[in-house]
Amino acid sequence: MYWYISILPPAAQSTLCDTALLIGFLEGQPQLRRRNAVSFGSADGQPWIDITIVKGTAESNWSSNGTFISQFNRVEIVCTDDERQEFYVEISTKIADFLQWRLVTQDDV
């Protein structure tokens, strides 16, 4: 089973952010390693995680083929649904705090 976390702009905003800024932040996190132009996974010895920087549509749809996008408006995180949720919440909270955005889990929907 998987656990899904989205990091979104505040509800009243339709914000686009500079992708390079977030990539620089994520590259500075020792628990992560870059997988492609817009996605990160866990570093060796860390629980499995997939973090993808995406640009969602007005209908909240999104997709990514790993190609660099200059601006984004959401971060999608997929984790395993197990006892390591503390790790996932910690890294997701760091990202949300950095962006000053909100964290939404599948349980919040």
Side-chain angles (χ1 to χ4, degrees), residues 2-5 32 35-36 38-42 47-53 62 75-80 87-88:
Y2 295 100
W3 191 43
Y4 301 91
I5 302 169
L32 303 175
R35 292 188 12 223
N36 64 40
V38 290
S39 112
F40 286 76
S42 53
W48 182 87
I49 193 169
D50 179 79
I51 301 171
T52 305
I53 302 165
W62 63 271
V75 179
E76 292 297 326
I77 302 171
V78 181
C79 328
T80 57
F87 170 79
Y88 305 130

Side-chain angles (χ1 to χ4, degrees), residues 25-82:
F25 174 77
L26 294 173
E27 286 178 331
Q29 303 305 307
Q31 313 93 314
L32 303 175
R33 66 174 174 78
R34 194 165 179 182
R35 292 188 12 223
N36 64 40
V38 290
S39 112
F40 286 76
S42 53
D44 291 341
Q46 298 295 326
W48 182 87
I49 193 169
D50 179 79
I51 301 171
T52 305
I53 302 165
V54 299
K55 189 183 230 181
T57 66
E59 297 81 26
S60 295
N61 297 319
W62 63 271
S63 67
S64 176
N65 63 3
T67 303
F68 182 80
I69 53 173
S70 61
Q71 294 185 315
F72 71 99
N73 60 1
R74 67 190 300 150
V75 179
E76 292 297 326
I77 302 171
V78 181
C79 328
T80 57
D81 188 15
D82 61 19

Side-chain angles (χ1 to χ4, degrees), residues 9-17 56-58 72-73 101:
Q13 292 182 351
S14 175
T15 305
L16 288 175
C17 283
T57 66
F72 71 99
N73 60 1
W101 287 7

